[in-house]
Amino acid sequence: MYAAHGVESERKIHAIQKDVEYRIPFTVNNSTINVNILLPPQFPQEKPVVSVYPPVGHHLVDSNNGTMITSPLITNFGMHSDLGKVIQSLLDEFWKSPPALMSSGAAGFPYSMYKQTGIAPYPSQAFHYGARHMGPSHTAPAAPYGLISDLPLPVPTGDSQAGLNGHMYKMPEIPESFPELCDMNLTQLSEMSENEDVLLEFFVSLPQLKQVTSDKEELVTNIVDMAKKNLQMEPQLEGKRQEMLYKYEQLTQMKSAFETRMQRQHELSESCSLSTLQARLKVAAHQAEEESEETAENFLEGRTDIDEFLSSFMEKRTLCHSRRAKEEKLQQSINTHGPFPTSH
């Protein structure tokens, strides 16, 4: 803590929505100001949107609205830029030159802009800036906070090469000067400059190139070993493939048989439903009634004797009444249990 300047070393970053929005609060003369960091969907290809609220007056903030930060660190942001270091640099500048609240600024943070709920309207204050009275001989002490490490990391640069499997290869560091050249005299240097073979020999002898060559040979060896193992597993893979095709064919046949049986089961279920049985009984009862009436007409017209009439008429009439009774009983069952019989 820097008591003389009202500065505390505590740092707190609020993740409103991880990898989408962050907020860093600080205090100027007992007034809370929030730095809001909004990451677009195409971040880091697109620049982040950094703003402050309530509106303030500062050379890094747009003077028209007092909220949008227009620092070159933001306008020149690239996919390889470190967002944490950029924000830290902005806070360093705010610490050295505290922003002034605009008179029209509101006291709170505009939470209606965000859908998240359950966030305290006044979070814990992390950065405290007070009015400073320093003479010409005074210099500002170092900023009271470390690196902001909670923000998304930058995209790796060309120093680290990613392979197809995602493994990173870090190139050896290239020194600014080569001690081997320092031990050479002017004649040797001139010969190297004029003779390409000598230059190539020196280049090949560099430890950095030897390291790259050694790493390359090791990678080639590993790739060859992996390829041999893959070739050894080829018969097993082919066997599993044939087994999978056979099982798939079996599945297709079983599915076809199942669908056929399901169709047959549906047809049988419909033919055995109470409503279907009732309709058949109604038709059969009507048929028996017509046959009994035809027998009665034949007797009245004298085409049959009385014994044959009594035997045939009573049989068909009884069958008709029996089927009618069964039909009525089925109707009662349908009214009670529905058109399909169920087992209990």
Side-chain angles (χ1 to χ4, degrees), residues 194-230:
E194 296 172 357
N195 193 330
E196 186 176 347
D197 293 336
V198 177
L199 179 61
L200 181 60
E201 182 180 356
F202 172 77
F203 182 72
V204 172
S205 66
L206 290 176
Q208 292 83 4
L209 182 60
K210 290 182 178 180
Q211 179 65 39
V212 172
T213 305
S214 175
D215 293 342
K216 176 185 175 182
E217 293 176 352
E218 183 179 356
L219 287 173
V220 170
T221 302
N222 292 337
I223 291 172
V224 171
D225 292 341
M226 188 178 299
K228 290 180 179 179
K229 291 180 181 179
N230 291 340

PDB file of all heavy atoms in Angstrom, residues 194-230:
ATOM      1  N   GLU A 194      33.529 -13.707 -48.727  1.00  0.00           N
ATOM      2  CA  GLU A 194      33.687 -13.906 -50.159  1.00  0.00           C
ATOM      3  C   GLU A 194      33.485 -15.352 -50.580  1.00  0.00           C
ATOM      4  O   GLU A 194      33.115 -15.622 -51.719  1.00  0.00           O
ATOM      5  CB  GLU A 194      35.096 -13.437 -50.579  1.00  0.00           C
ATOM      6  CG  GLU A 194      35.314 -11.943 -50.363  1.00  0.00           C
ATOM      7  CD  GLU A 194      36.755 -11.530 -50.596  1.00  0.00           C
ATOM      8  OE1 GLU A 194      37.581 -12.436 -50.870  1.00  0.00           O
ATOM      9  OE2 GLU A 194      37.045 -10.327 -50.495  1.00  0.00           O
ATOM     10  N   ASN A 195      33.725 -16.284 -49.656  1.00  0.00           N
ATOM     11  CA  ASN A 195      33.635 -17.710 -49.976  1.00  0.00           C
ATOM     12  C   ASN A 195      32.356 -18.289 -49.361  1.00  0.00           C
ATOM     13  O   ASN A 195      32.224 -18.369 -48.134  1.00  0.00           O
ATOM     14  CB  ASN A 195      34.873 -18.443 -49.460  1.00  0.00           C
ATOM     15  CG  ASN A 195      34.972 -19.843 -50.048  1.00  0.00           C
ATOM     16  OD1 ASN A 195      33.961 -20.483 -50.361  1.00  0.00           O
ATOM     17  ND2 ASN A 195      36.209 -20.326 -50.187  1.00  0.00           N
ATOM     18  N   GLU A 196      31.460 -18.674 -50.206  1.00  0.00           N
ATOM     19  CA  GLU A 196      30.172 -19.193 -49.718  1.00  0.00           C
ATOM     20  C   GLU A 196      30.344 -20.517 -48.988  1.00  0.00           C
ATOM     21  O   GLU A 196      29.626 -20.787 -48.021  1.00  0.00           O
ATOM     22  CB  GLU A 196      29.206 -19.353 -50.888  1.00  0.00           C
ATOM     23  CG  GLU A 196      27.806 -19.753 -50.460  1.00  0.00           C
ATOM     24  CD  GLU A 196      26.851 -19.796 -51.633  1.00  0.00           C
ATOM     25  OE1 GLU A 196      27.208 -19.282 -52.719  1.00  0.00           O
ATOM     26  OE2 GLU A 196      25.746 -20.349 -51.458  1.00  0.00           O
ATOM     27  N   ASP A 197      31.290 -21.341 -49.406  1.00  0.00           N
ATOM     28  CA  ASP A 197      31.498 -22.635 -48.744  1.00  0.00           C
ATOM     29  C   ASP A 197      31.957 -22.446 -47.306  1.00  0.00           C
ATOM     30  O   ASP A 197      31.531 -23.166 -46.397  1.00  0.00           O
ATOM     31  CB  ASP A 197      32.530 -23.463 -49.520  1.00  0.00           C
ATOM     32  CG  ASP A 197      32.008 -23.878 -50.888  1.00  0.00           C
ATOM     33  OD1 ASP A 197      30.757 -23.937 -51.025  1.00  0.00           O
ATOM     34  OD2 ASP A 197      32.820 -24.148 -51.787  1.00  0.00           O
ATOM     35  N   VAL A 198      32.867 -21.476 -47.105  1.00  0.00           N
ATOM     36  CA  VAL A 198      33.351 -21.198 -45.745  1.00  0.00           C
ATOM     37  C   VAL A 198      32.204 -20.689 -44.876  1.00  0.00           C
ATOM     38  O   VAL A 198      32.057 -21.073 -43.709  1.00  0.00           O
ATOM     39  CB  VAL A 198      34.508 -20.184 -45.785  1.00  0.00           C
ATOM     40  CG1 VAL A 198      34.958 -19.831 -44.353  1.00  0.00           C
ATOM     41  CG2 VAL A 198      35.677 -20.734 -46.586  1.00  0.00           C
ATOM     42  N   LEU A 199      31.402 -19.805 -45.449  1.00  0.00           N
ATOM     43  CA  LEU A 199      30.255 -19.277 -44.705  1.00  0.00           C
ATOM     44  C   LEU A 199      29.271 -20.390 -44.356  1.00  0.00           C
ATOM     45  O   LEU A 199      28.757 -20.458 -43.235  1.00  0.00           O
ATOM     46  CB  LEU A 199      29.557 -18.197 -45.527  1.00  0.00           C
ATOM     47  CG  LEU A 199      28.320 -17.553 -44.899  1.00  0.00           C
ATOM     48  CD1 LEU A 199      28.692 -16.854 -43.593  1.00  0.00           C
ATOM     49  CD2 LEU A 199      27.675 -16.574 -45.867  1.00  0.00           C
ATOM     50  N   LEU A 200      29.057 -21.295 -45.303  1.00  0.00           N
ATOM     51  CA  LEU A 200      28.139 -22.403 -45.056  1.00  0.00           C
ATOM     52  C   LEU A 200      28.686 -23.340 -43.993  1.00  0.00           C
ATOM     53  O   LEU A 200      27.945 -23.824 -43.130  1.00  0.00           O
ATOM     54  CB  LEU A 200      27.891 -23.163 -46.361  1.00  0.00           C
ATOM     55  CG  LEU A 200      26.920 -24.347 -46.269  1.00  0.00           C
ATOM     56  CD1 LEU A 200      25.544 -23.877 -45.812  1.00  0.00           C
ATOM     57  CD2 LEU A 200      26.834 -25.055 -47.616  1.00  0.00           C
ATOM     58  N   GLU A 201      30.010 -23.572 -44.031  1.00  0.00           N
ATOM     59  CA  GLU A 201      30.634 -24.431 -43.016  1.00  0.00           C
ATOM     60  C   GLU A 201      30.481 -23.829 -41.624  1.00  0.00           C
ATOM     61  O   GLU A 201      30.184 -24.533 -40.649  1.00  0.00           O
ATOM     62  CB  GLU A 201      32.118 -24.630 -43.358  1.00  0.00           C
ATOM     63  CG  GLU A 201      32.840 -25.544 -42.384  1.00  0.00           C
ATOM     64  CD  GLU A 201      34.309 -25.707 -42.748  1.00  0.00           C
ATOM     65  OE1 GLU A 201      34.722 -25.165 -43.798  1.00  0.00           O
ATOM     66  OE2 GLU A 201      35.035 -26.363 -41.979  1.00  0.00           O
ATOM     67  N   PHE A 202      30.700 -22.493 -41.532  1.00  0.00           N
ATOM     68  CA  PHE A 202      30.512 -21.828 -40.242  1.00  0.00           C
ATOM     69  C   PHE A 202      29.045 -21.906 -39.785  1.00  0.00           C
ATOM     70  O   PHE A 202      28.759 -22.149 -38.614  1.00  0.00           O
ATOM     71  CB  PHE A 202      30.947 -20.365 -40.349  1.00  0.00           C
ATOM     72  CG  PHE A 202      30.613 -19.535 -39.142  1.00  0.00           C
ATOM     73  CD1 PHE A 202      31.359 -19.626 -37.976  1.00  0.00           C
ATOM     74  CD2 PHE A 202      29.513 -18.669 -39.161  1.00  0.00           C
ATOM     75  CE1 PHE A 202      31.023 -18.873 -36.862  1.00  0.00           C
ATOM     76  CE2 PHE A 202      29.180 -17.926 -38.049  1.00  0.00           C
ATOM     77  CZ  PHE A 202      29.928 -18.023 -36.896  1.00  0.00           C
ATOM     78  N   PHE A 203      28.149 -21.707 -40.725  1.00  0.00           N
ATOM     79  CA  PHE A 203      26.720 -21.740 -40.402  1.00  0.00           C
ATOM     80  C   PHE A 203      26.301 -23.118 -39.882  1.00  0.00           C
ATOM     81  O   PHE A 203      25.552 -23.235 -38.911  1.00  0.00           O
ATOM     82  CB  PHE A 203      25.911 -21.370 -41.646  1.00  0.00           C
ATOM     83  CG  PHE A 203      24.445 -21.322 -41.421  1.00  0.00           C
ATOM     84  CD1 PHE A 203      23.843 -20.312 -40.687  1.00  0.00           C
ATOM     85  CD2 PHE A 203      23.625 -22.324 -41.930  1.00  0.00           C
ATOM     86  CE1 PHE A 203      22.487 -20.282 -40.468  1.00  0.00           C
ATOM     87  CE2 PHE A 203      22.258 -22.305 -41.723  1.00  0.00           C
ATOM     88  CZ  PHE A 203      21.691 -21.281 -40.992  1.00  0.00           C
ATOM     89  N   VAL A 204      26.836 -24.162 -40.512  1.00  0.00           N
ATOM     90  CA  VAL A 204      26.487 -25.524 -40.100  1.00  0.00           C
ATOM     91  C   VAL A 204      27.047 -25.838 -38.711  1.00  0.00           C
ATOM     92  O   VAL A 204      26.472 -26.636 -37.971  1.00  0.00           O
ATOM     93  CB  VAL A 204      26.992 -26.535 -41.154  1.00  0.00           C
ATOM     94  CG1 VAL A 204      26.828 -27.974 -40.664  1.00  0.00           C
ATOM     95  CG2 VAL A 204      26.255 -26.352 -42.467  1.00  0.00           C
ATOM     96  N   SER A 205      28.150 -25.210 -38.364  1.00  0.00           N
ATOM     97  CA  SER A 205      28.774 -25.500 -37.063  1.00  0.00           C
ATOM     98  C   SER A 205      28.115 -24.775 -35.899  1.00  0.00           C
ATOM     99  O   SER A 205      28.468 -25.021 -34.745  1.00  0.00           O
ATOM    100  CB  SER A 205      30.259 -25.123 -37.117  1.00  0.00           C
ATOM    101  OG  SER A 205      30.409 -23.703 -37.277  1.00  0.00           O
ATOM    102  N   LEU A 206      27.151 -23.887 -36.162  1.00  0.00           N
ATOM    103  CA  LEU A 206      26.493 -23.149 -35.080  1.00  0.00           C
ATOM    104  C   LEU A 206      25.701 -24.113 -34.193  1.00  0.00           C
ATOM    105  O   LEU A 206      25.017 -25.019 -34.696  1.00  0.00           O
ATOM    106  CB  LEU A 206      25.543 -22.096 -35.649  1.00  0.00           C
ATOM    107  CG  LEU A 206      26.198 -20.900 -36.344  1.00  0.00           C
ATOM    108  CD1 LEU A 206      25.137 -19.983 -36.942  1.00  0.00           C
ATOM    109  CD2 LEU A 206      27.063 -20.118 -35.359  1.00  0.00           C
ATOM    110  N   PRO A 207      25.773 -23.948 -32.864  1.00  0.00           N
ATOM    111  CA  PRO A 207      25.032 -24.865 -31.969  1.00  0.00           C
ATOM    112  C   PRO A 207      23.523 -24.777 -32.161  1.00  0.00           C
ATOM    113  O   PRO A 207      22.811 -25.768 -31.971  1.00  0.00           O
ATOM    114  CB  PRO A 207      25.463 -24.405 -30.567  1.00  0.00           C
ATOM    115  CG  PRO A 207      25.969 -23.001 -30.741  1.00  0.00           C
ATOM    116  CD  PRO A 207      26.548 -22.951 -32.111  1.00  0.00           C
ATOM    117  N   GLN A 208      23.001 -23.601 -32.554  1.00  0.00           N
ATOM    118  CA  GLN A 208      21.553 -23.485 -32.760  1.00  0.00           C
ATOM    119  C   GLN A 208      21.098 -24.364 -33.928  1.00  0.00           C
ATOM    120  O   GLN A 208      20.083 -25.047 -33.844  1.00  0.00           O
ATOM    121  CB  GLN A 208      21.164 -22.023 -33.027  1.00  0.00           C
ATOM    122  CG  GLN A 208      21.333 -21.107 -31.840  1.00  0.00           C
ATOM    123  CD  GLN A 208      22.754 -20.612 -31.681  1.00  0.00           C
ATOM    124  OE1 GLN A 208      23.614 -20.903 -32.518  1.00  0.00           O
ATOM    125  NE2 GLN A 208      23.014 -19.879 -30.602  1.00  0.00           N
ATOM    126  N   LEU A 209      21.888 -24.349 -35.015  1.00  0.00           N
ATOM    127  CA  LEU A 209      21.531 -25.180 -36.165  1.00  0.00           C
ATOM    128  C   LEU A 209      21.704 -26.659 -35.835  1.00  0.00           C
ATOM    129  O   LEU A 209      20.901 -27.504 -36.258  1.00  0.00           O
ATOM    130  CB  LEU A 209      22.383 -24.798 -37.372  1.00  0.00           C
ATOM    131  CG  LEU A 209      22.066 -25.562 -38.666  1.00  0.00           C
ATOM    132  CD1 LEU A 209      20.616 -25.327 -39.071  1.00  0.00           C
ATOM    133  CD2 LEU A 209      23.000 -25.149 -39.793  1.00  0.00           C
ATOM    134  N   LYS A 210      22.765 -26.981 -35.069  1.00  0.00           N
ATOM    135  CA  LYS A 210      22.951 -28.371 -34.657  1.00  0.00           C
ATOM    136  C   LYS A 210      21.764 -28.850 -33.816  1.00  0.00           C
ATOM    137  O   LYS A 210      21.327 -29.994 -33.947  1.00  0.00           O
ATOM    138  CB  LYS A 210      24.252 -28.505 -33.861  1.00  0.00           C
ATOM    139  CG  LYS A 210      25.509 -28.339 -34.707  1.00  0.00           C
ATOM    140  CD  LYS A 210      26.751 -28.521 -33.857  1.00  0.00           C
ATOM    141  CE  LYS A 210      28.021 -28.395 -34.708  1.00  0.00           C
ATOM    142  NZ  LYS A 210      29.248 -28.567 -33.885  1.00  0.00           N
ATOM    143  N   GLN A 211      21.264 -27.919 -32.965  1.00  0.00           N
ATOM    144  CA  GLN A 211      20.109 -28.288 -32.138  1.00  0.00           C
ATOM    145  C   GLN A 211      18.883 -28.539 -33.004  1.00  0.00           C
ATOM    146  O   GLN A 211      18.145 -29.514 -32.804  1.00  0.00           O
ATOM    147  CB  GLN A 211      19.818 -27.162 -31.131  1.00  0.00           C
ATOM    148  CG  GLN A 211      18.626 -27.427 -30.222  1.00  0.00           C
ATOM    149  CD  GLN A 211      18.855 -28.607 -29.303  1.00  0.00           C
ATOM    150  OE1 GLN A 211      19.953 -28.782 -28.803  1.00  0.00           O
ATOM    151  NE2 GLN A 211      17.830 -29.424 -29.118  1.00  0.00           N
ATOM    152  N   VAL A 212      18.650 -27.660 -34.006  1.00  0.00           N
ATOM    153  CA  VAL A 212      17.515 -27.851 -34.910  1.00  0.00           C
ATOM    154  C   VAL A 212      17.658 -29.155 -35.693  1.00  0.00           C
ATOM    155  O   VAL A 212      16.704 -29.924 -35.854  1.00  0.00           O
ATOM    156  CB  VAL A 212      17.379 -26.654 -35.867  1.00  0.00           C
ATOM    157  CG1 VAL A 212      16.330 -26.936 -36.931  1.00  0.00           C
ATOM    158  CG2 VAL A 212      17.027 -25.396 -35.096  1.00  0.00           C
ATOM    159  N   THR A 213      18.901 -29.435 -36.182  1.00  0.00           N
ATOM    160  CA  THR A 213      19.135 -30.669 -36.926  1.00  0.00           C
ATOM    161  C   THR A 213      18.901 -31.888 -36.051  1.00  0.00           C
ATOM    162  O   THR A 213      18.297 -32.883 -36.475  1.00  0.00           O
ATOM    163  CB  THR A 213      20.573 -30.681 -37.482  1.00  0.00           C
ATOM    164  OG1 THR A 213      20.797 -29.505 -38.269  1.00  0.00           O
ATOM    165  CG2 THR A 213      20.821 -31.912 -38.329  1.00  0.00           C
ATOM    166  N   SER A 214      19.397 -31.816 -34.797  1.00  0.00           N
ATOM    167  CA  SER A 214      19.199 -32.936 -33.873  1.00  0.00           C
ATOM    168  C   SER A 214      17.716 -33.151 -33.572  1.00  0.00           C
ATOM    169  O   SER A 214      17.224 -34.286 -33.564  1.00  0.00           O
ATOM    170  CB  SER A 214      19.966 -32.666 -32.571  1.00  0.00           C
ATOM    171  OG  SER A 214      19.699 -33.676 -31.605  1.00  0.00           O
ATOM    172  N   ASP A 215      16.991 -32.037 -33.353  1.00  0.00           N
ATOM    173  CA  ASP A 215      15.551 -32.155 -33.094  1.00  0.00           C
ATOM    174  C   ASP A 215      14.823 -32.725 -34.305  1.00  0.00           C
ATOM    175  O   ASP A 215      13.898 -33.540 -34.167  1.00  0.00           O
ATOM    176  CB  ASP A 215      14.977 -30.779 -32.735  1.00  0.00           C
ATOM    177  CG  ASP A 215      15.505 -30.268 -31.405  1.00  0.00           C
ATOM    178  OD1 ASP A 215      16.014 -31.082 -30.625  1.00  0.00           O
ATOM    179  OD2 ASP A 215      15.400 -29.051 -31.160  1.00  0.00           O
ATOM    180  N   LYS A 216      15.261 -32.303 -35.497  1.00  0.00           N
ATOM    181  CA  LYS A 216      14.627 -32.804 -36.715  1.00  0.00           C
ATOM    182  C   LYS A 216      14.837 -34.310 -36.856  1.00  0.00           C
ATOM    183  O   LYS A 216      13.900 -35.062 -37.175  1.00  0.00           O
ATOM    184  CB  LYS A 216      15.195 -32.066 -37.927  1.00  0.00           C
ATOM    185  CG  LYS A 216      14.678 -32.589 -39.259  1.00  0.00           C
ATOM    186  CD  LYS A 216      15.371 -31.914 -40.420  1.00  0.00           C
ATOM    187  CE  LYS A 216      14.939 -32.525 -41.744  1.00  0.00           C
ATOM    188  NZ  LYS A 216      15.630 -31.908 -42.904  1.00  0.00           N
ATOM    189  N   GLU A 217      16.093 -34.758 -36.628  1.00  0.00           N
ATOM    190  CA  GLU A 217      16.364 -36.200 -36.726  1.00  0.00           C
ATOM    191  C   GLU A 217      15.566 -36.983 -35.691  1.00  0.00           C
ATOM    192  O   GLU A 217      15.054 -38.074 -35.978  1.00  0.00           O
ATOM    193  CB  GLU A 217      17.871 -36.439 -36.538  1.00  0.00           C
ATOM    194  CG  GLU A 217      18.730 -35.885 -37.672  1.00  0.00           C
ATOM    195  CD  GLU A 217      20.211 -36.051 -37.401  1.00  0.00           C
ATOM    196  OE1 GLU A 217      20.555 -36.453 -36.267  1.00  0.00           O
ATOM    197  OE2 GLU A 217      21.013 -35.756 -38.311  1.00  0.00           O
ATOM    198  N   GLU A 218      15.446 -36.419 -34.503  1.00  0.00           N
ATOM    199  CA  GLU A 218      14.663 -37.099 -33.469  1.00  0.00           C
ATOM    200  C   GLU A 218      13.185 -37.183 -33.858  1.00  0.00           C
ATOM    201  O   GLU A 218      12.536 -38.225 -33.670  1.00  0.00           O
ATOM    202  CB  GLU A 218      14.816 -36.352 -32.132  1.00  0.00           C
ATOM    203  CG  GLU A 218      14.085 -37.027 -30.976  1.00  0.00           C
ATOM    204  CD  GLU A 218      14.272 -36.270 -29.670  1.00  0.00           C
ATOM    205  OE1 GLU A 218      15.035 -35.274 -29.662  1.00  0.00           O
ATOM    206  OE2 GLU A 218      13.653 -36.665 -28.668  1.00  0.00           O
ATOM    207  N   LEU A 219      12.668 -36.094 -34.417  1.00  0.00           N
ATOM    208  CA  LEU A 219      11.280 -36.107 -34.862  1.00  0.00           C
ATOM    209  C   LEU A 219      11.065 -37.097 -35.997  1.00  0.00           C
ATOM    210  O   LEU A 219      10.058 -37.822 -36.025  1.00  0.00           O
ATOM    211  CB  LEU A 219      10.867 -34.699 -35.315  1.00  0.00           C
ATOM    212  CG  LEU A 219      10.664 -33.662 -34.214  1.00  0.00           C
ATOM    213  CD1 LEU A 219      10.424 -32.290 -34.818  1.00  0.00           C
ATOM    214  CD2 LEU A 219       9.492 -34.046 -33.321  1.00  0.00           C
ATOM    215  N   VAL A 220      12.018 -37.145 -36.933  1.00  0.00           N
ATOM    216  CA  VAL A 220      11.902 -38.097 -38.046  1.00  0.00           C
ATOM    217  C   VAL A 220      11.913 -39.524 -37.521  1.00  0.00           C
ATOM    218  O   VAL A 220      11.130 -40.376 -37.956  1.00  0.00           O
ATOM    219  CB  VAL A 220      13.038 -37.860 -39.061  1.00  0.00           C
ATOM    220  CG1 VAL A 220      13.089 -38.992 -40.082  1.00  0.00           C
ATOM    221  CG2 VAL A 220      12.854 -36.532 -39.772  1.00  0.00           C
ATOM    222  N   THR A 221      12.803 -39.784 -36.555  1.00  0.00           N
ATOM    223  CA  THR A 221      12.856 -41.131 -35.963  1.00  0.00           C
ATOM    224  C   THR A 221      11.539 -41.482 -35.277  1.00  0.00           C
ATOM    225  O   THR A 221      11.014 -42.596 -35.431  1.00  0.00           O
ATOM    226  CB  THR A 221      14.012 -41.207 -34.948  1.00  0.00           C
ATOM    227  OG1 THR A 221      15.241 -40.885 -35.600  1.00  0.00           O
ATOM    228  CG2 THR A 221      14.111 -42.612 -34.358  1.00  0.00           C
ATOM    229  N   ASN A 222      11.002 -40.526 -34.537  1.00  0.00           N
ATOM    230  CA  ASN A 222       9.727 -40.778 -33.860  1.00  0.00           C
ATOM    231  C   ASN A 222       8.602 -41.005 -34.859  1.00  0.00           C
ATOM    232  O   ASN A 222       7.739 -41.869 -34.662  1.00  0.00           O
ATOM    233  CB  ASN A 222       9.381 -39.595 -32.945  1.00  0.00           C
ATOM    234  CG  ASN A 222      10.323 -39.476 -31.773  1.00  0.00           C
ATOM    235  OD1 ASN A 222      10.967 -40.459 -31.377  1.00  0.00           O
ATOM    236  ND2 ASN A 222      10.437 -38.283 -31.207  1.00  0.00           N
ATOM    237  N   ILE A 223       8.610 -40.238 -35.951  1.00  0.00           N
ATOM    238  CA  ILE A 223       7.563 -40.388 -36.967  1.00  0.00           C
ATOM    239  C   ILE A 223       7.660 -41.761 -37.636  1.00  0.00           C
ATOM    240  O   ILE A 223       6.657 -42.428 -37.875  1.00  0.00           O
ATOM    241  CB  ILE A 223       7.666 -39.252 -38.003  1.00  0.00           C
ATOM    242  CG1 ILE A 223       7.289 -37.923 -37.355  1.00  0.00           C
ATOM    243  CG2 ILE A 223       6.764 -39.524 -39.201  1.00  0.00           C
ATOM    244  CD1 ILE A 223       7.529 -36.714 -38.233  1.00  0.00           C
ATOM    245  N   VAL A 224       8.920 -42.185 -37.930  1.00  0.00           N
ATOM    246  CA  VAL A 224       9.112 -43.500 -38.556  1.00  0.00           C
ATOM    247  C   VAL A 224       8.641 -44.611 -37.621  1.00  0.00           C
ATOM    248  O   VAL A 224       7.961 -45.559 -38.044  1.00  0.00           O
ATOM    249  CB  VAL A 224      10.590 -43.695 -38.949  1.00  0.00           C
ATOM    250  CG1 VAL A 224      10.854 -45.132 -39.393  1.00  0.00           C
ATOM    251  CG2 VAL A 224      10.981 -42.730 -40.051  1.00  0.00           C
ATOM    252  N   ASP A 225       9.009 -44.500 -36.343  1.00  0.00           N
ATOM    253  CA  ASP A 225       8.566 -45.509 -35.375  1.00  0.00           C
ATOM    254  C   ASP A 225       7.049 -45.550 -35.281  1.00  0.00           C
ATOM    255  O   ASP A 225       6.436 -46.631 -35.224  1.00  0.00           O
ATOM    256  CB  ASP A 225       9.166 -45.213 -33.997  1.00  0.00           C
ATOM    257  CG  ASP A 225      10.684 -45.408 -33.972  1.00  0.00           C
ATOM    258  OD1 ASP A 225      11.195 -46.101 -34.875  1.00  0.00           O
ATOM    259  OD2 ASP A 225      11.342 -44.860 -33.060  1.00  0.00           O
ATOM    260  N   MET A 226       6.432 -44.377 -35.265  1.00  0.00           N
ATOM    261  CA  MET A 226       4.971 -44.322 -35.184  1.00  0.00           C
ATOM    262  C   MET A 226       4.331 -44.909 -36.440  1.00  0.00           C
ATOM    263  O   MET A 226       3.317 -45.616 -36.374  1.00  0.00           O
ATOM    264  CB  MET A 226       4.525 -42.868 -34.982  1.00  0.00           C
ATOM    265  CG  MET A 226       3.041 -42.709 -34.696  1.00  0.00           C
ATOM    266  SD  MET A 226       2.604 -40.978 -34.405  1.00  0.00           S
ATOM    267  CE  MET A 226       3.602 -40.612 -32.963  1.00  0.00           C
ATOM    268  N   ALA A 227       4.947 -44.637 -37.604  1.00  0.00           N
ATOM    269  CA  ALA A 227       4.410 -45.191 -38.851  1.00  0.00           C
ATOM    270  C   ALA A 227       4.505 -46.708 -38.861  1.00  0.00           C
ATOM    271  O   ALA A 227       3.583 -47.403 -39.311  1.00  0.00           O
ATOM    272  CB  ALA A 227       5.158 -44.595 -40.042  1.00  0.00           C
ATOM    273  N   LYS A 228       5.636 -47.246 -38.358  1.00  0.00           N
ATOM    274  CA  LYS A 228       5.786 -48.700 -38.292  1.00  0.00           C
ATOM    275  C   LYS A 228       4.741 -49.325 -37.368  1.00  0.00           C
ATOM    276  O   LYS A 228       4.149 -50.375 -37.675  1.00  0.00           O
ATOM    277  CB  LYS A 228       7.190 -49.059 -37.815  1.00  0.00           C
ATOM    278  CG  LYS A 228       8.282 -48.743 -38.838  1.00  0.00           C
ATOM    279  CD  LYS A 228       9.663 -49.113 -38.297  1.00  0.00           C
ATOM    280  CE  LYS A 228      10.752 -48.835 -39.323  1.00  0.00           C
ATOM    281  NZ  LYS A 228      12.109 -49.165 -38.798  1.00  0.00           N
ATOM    282  N   LYS A 229       4.499 -48.680 -36.230  1.00  0.00           N
ATOM    283  CA  LYS A 229       3.474 -49.186 -35.315  1.00  0.00           C
ATOM    284  C   LYS A 229       2.092 -49.143 -35.964  1.00  0.00           C
ATOM    285  O   LYS A 229       1.287 -50.069 -35.795  1.00  0.00           O
ATOM    286  CB  LYS A 229       3.481 -48.370 -34.027  1.00  0.00           C
ATOM    287  CG  LYS A 229       4.715 -48.575 -33.163  1.00  0.00           C
ATOM    288  CD  LYS A 229       4.652 -47.739 -31.901  1.00  0.00           C
ATOM    289  CE  LYS A 229       5.900 -47.929 -31.045  1.00  0.00           C
ATOM    290  NZ  LYS A 229       5.867 -47.087 -29.811  1.00  0.00           N
ATOM    291  N   ASN A 230       1.834 -48.074 -36.711  1.00  0.00           N
ATOM    292  CA  ASN A 230       0.542 -47.976 -37.405  1.00  0.00           C
ATOM    293  C   ASN A 230       0.386 -49.081 -38.441  1.00  0.00           C
ATOM    294  O   ASN A 230      -0.699 -49.666 -38.585  1.00  0.00           O
ATOM    295  CB  ASN A 230       0.406 -46.616 -38.077  1.00  0.00           C
ATOM    296  CG  ASN A 230       0.250 -45.482 -37.072  1.00  0.00           C
ATOM    297  OD1 ASN A 230      -0.124 -45.727 -35.922  1.00  0.00           O
ATOM    298  ND2 ASN A 230       0.525 -44.268 -37.478  1.00  0.00           N
TER     299      ASN A 230
END
